[in-house]
Amino acid sequence: MPNYKDSSSDQGVFISLVPSEQTTPGSFDETIHLLIGHVLDLSVFEAEYDNDHGGAPAYPPSALLKIILAAYYRGVTGSRKIENLCKYHTTFMALSGFLTPDHSTITAFISKSPERLESLFLQIVLECDYLGLTGGEVFAIDGSKISSNASKDWSGTKADFEKKYKKIRRAIRRMLKRHRDEDLAQQVDGEVREREEKQIEKLRTIAGKLKQPIEEMEDKLGRSGRTKKSNLTDNDSAHMMSGGSGAKQGYMAMANADKQRQVICAADITGDTEQNIFRPMVEQLKENLDTDLHDSKLLADAGFHTGGNVDYCHEEAIDAYIADNKFRKRDPRFIDHEDKKPASRKRRYFRSEDFHYNEEENRCWCPAGKELWLSSNRYWLGDAYYRKFEGYLNDCKQCSLQAQCMRRGVKDRGRQVSIRKGREENPPRPLALMKEKIDSVKGRITYSDRIGIIEPVFAHIKHTLGLNWLSLRGRNKVKGQWLLWCMIHNMVKNTEIWRVRGDLGLFLPLFLFIEDNQIVYYPDGKPSYLNVHMVH
């Protein structure tokens, strides 16, 4: 017969818990404990507390930050789950100092502190820079779509919601009318009636949710002036298309990472397009690292390629490499993979090259041989100056080639055509210079680093750490949550460098100065000294 050791889950046992033994040396939990407890300045959180002369004691921001960061690192974002971890998980007991904040305290701390979390993120960036984790030579900027805590079913324009509201009201009236008719005829099916009454109640709830927002709602306008979809649950979020997963309601999470260790040096979030947040992200990067980027390279994909963004980089003397949407088609390495139009598909309308232009006389004739008149001798279009010619109205009306020339037929004016001016009148513009630079051998080699710099950042946060949605609502609150994930990504880098070097002399506060080859800092209010060679 086998002889097993006695085990019983019915008998309680007293366990001695030593906090210092609950965090494994070199682990992320130890990094949190050291950074939050000894390095970062948390005075930014003290302004919201005013209970020194009365009121209940508050939970220390350091304890809340430790448990939140440790939970997020494990992919746990729910405040109730974090509350339970503080009660039953020994690591969280040690990090919190045996405090057990409830879920509402945890949620309030995250949602009410976006500006303070931004200050904390900056301190983490500076700590990474201090440890030599940033090279400052090449940066890559990109964005990734993340689902928000809002349903895409509640997205639409004001006209969409009004139509939906009227449709619901019609459905309610139709069912009520049928119920009255059944009552008069005394032909009531109890099971069907019960189900429809529940449905009516549900529809009335939805109609009530729609009524007030419709009255107060104003449509959002995009850059082109067209109406954009609003969301009744979180109007700061946007209706986005996301690759193979279809449309989603969410935010565009932005990150600007350094090449050396993929440290996130600037981060933001928006419900708008990537193009509009490019400049604020670059300005944030310059401010965070206190640099003008004149000695650095900045890489960005075609989502950021606009005239305004390219002009901005040119004016600020930033060595940027921003690809356009035809970058791959111009690359000789991909020429065999270029999608070609079917041979049977022919051009339907005449183009500018089909018109005959005499540059010396500055005259133009259409394919039918009719001369056009000069409507504008010099105007700006895209990245060059053009001349514009226009056909005479009567000539175009009577032309036999009208179907090949004018897409919508002749209305109140003839065919217009633009002829590009010569090179001497068109100096290279920033957009043209950008295409030349990125098409060069050096440009393609430099730009090829972009994927290896920025894509692993989003892969680590979204797939390894487990960020699949943003639980808060409103841009400010969501930004604070995104900054927490970016901080964790950077803190993992700190953990790696400390684990590799194994030197606690590297672990220093941000606010320090050097006296006689010694670094002076103040843990617990007492001055301490470390020799400079310990750090290097």
Side-chain angles (χ1 to χ4, degrees), residues 73-103:
Y73 175 73
R74 291 165 169 81
V76 178
T77 58
S79 57
R80 295 180 187 274
K81 291 183 179 179
I82 298 176
E83 178 185 345
N84 285 333
L85 286 173
C86 293
K87 293 178 180 178
Y88 305 113
H89 198 295
T90 56
T91 300
F92 283 80
M93 291 179 187
L95 290 173
S96 67
F98 299 100
L99 296 174
T100 55
D102 59 23
H103 62 276

Side-chain angles (χ1 to χ4, degrees), residues 178-395:
R178 185 167 63 251
H179 290 178
R180 286 194 297 270
D181 295 341
E182 290 173 352
D183 291 338
L184 292 173
Q186 295 183 353
Q187 296 177 350
V188 179
D189 187 328
E191 184 179 350
V192 174
R193 174 64 64 88
E194 184 179 356
R195 291 184 61 183
E196 289 191 344
E197 285 179 348
K198 289 181 179 179
Q199 187 177 2
I200 290 172
E201 192 65 30
K202 183 179 179 180
L203 291 175
R204 280 176 172 166
T205 302
I206 297 173
K209 186 178 178 180
L210 285 170
K211 186 175 181 181
Q212 185 175 355
I214 290 174
E215 295 173 353
E216 301 173 354
M217 181 179 174
E218 291 185 6
D219 282 326
K220 294 193 296 185
L221 299 178
R223 290 188 304 132
S224 61
R226 295 181 179 179
T227 303
K228 294 173 59 177
K229 290 184 176 182
S230 302
N231 188 272
L232 297 186
T233 309
D234 183 2
N235 201 27
D236 289 339
S237 63
H239 193 75
M240 301 176 173
M241 296 302 296
S242 180
S245 59
K248 68 167 62 174
Q249 191 69 29
Y251 287 90
M252 181 69 72
M254 304 295 301
N256 201 330
D258 181 87
K259 177 182 178 180
Q260 184 165 311
R261 292 263 184 168
Q262 290 82 45
V263 171
I264 301 175
C265 299
D268 205 343
I269 203 160
T270 181
D272 205 346
T273 60
E274 294 176 317
Q275 301 169 350
N276 294 343
I277 204 171
F278 176 81
R279 181 168 179 171
M281 283 290 293
V282 176
E283 292 292 339
Q284 184 189 148
L285 176 65
K286 293 162 69 174
E287 183 179 352
N288 288 354
L289 298 181
D290 192 22
T291 177
D292 53 16
L293 296 180
H294 290 172
D295 298 324
S296 306
K297 293 179 173 60
L298 182 65
L299 315 179
D301 64 12
F304 299 94
H305 187 87
T306 65
N309 290 341
V310 173
D311 288 344
Y312 166 74
C313 293
H314 183 76
E315 293 166 3
E316 297 293 322
I318 298 173
D319 188 14
Y321 293 79
I322 308 176
D324 57 279
N325 55 8
K326 295 183 179 179
F327 164 66
R328 296 293 183 194
K329 291 184 178 181
R330 297 194 303 272
D331 192 335
R333 296 172 297 178
F334 294 92
I335 194 166
D336 295 334
H337 300 279
E338 183 179 356
D339 294 331
K340 297 181 179 180
K341 295 181 180 179
S344 59
R345 186 175 178 182
K346 297 181 179 179
R347 257 190 314 119
R348 183 176 176 184
Y349 300 102
F350 293 130
R351 299 178 179 175
S352 58
E353 55 265 28
D354 296 320
F355 288 72
H356 175 66
Y357 172 66
N358 188 314
E359 188 172 2
E360 295 180 359
E361 300 179 4
N362 197 20
R363 298 171 66 187
C364 183
W365 292 266
C366 72
K370 302 291 184 179
E371 185 172 0
L372 285 70
W373 59 280
L374 181 65
S375 60
S376 176
N377 194 43
R378 191 172 187 264
Y379 78 99
W380 181 255
L381 178 64
D383 58 350
Y385 288 105
Y386 288 79
R387 295 182 176 94
K388 182 184 287 185
F389 292 88
E390 186 174 330
Y392 291 98
L393 185 60
N394 288 336
D395 289 343

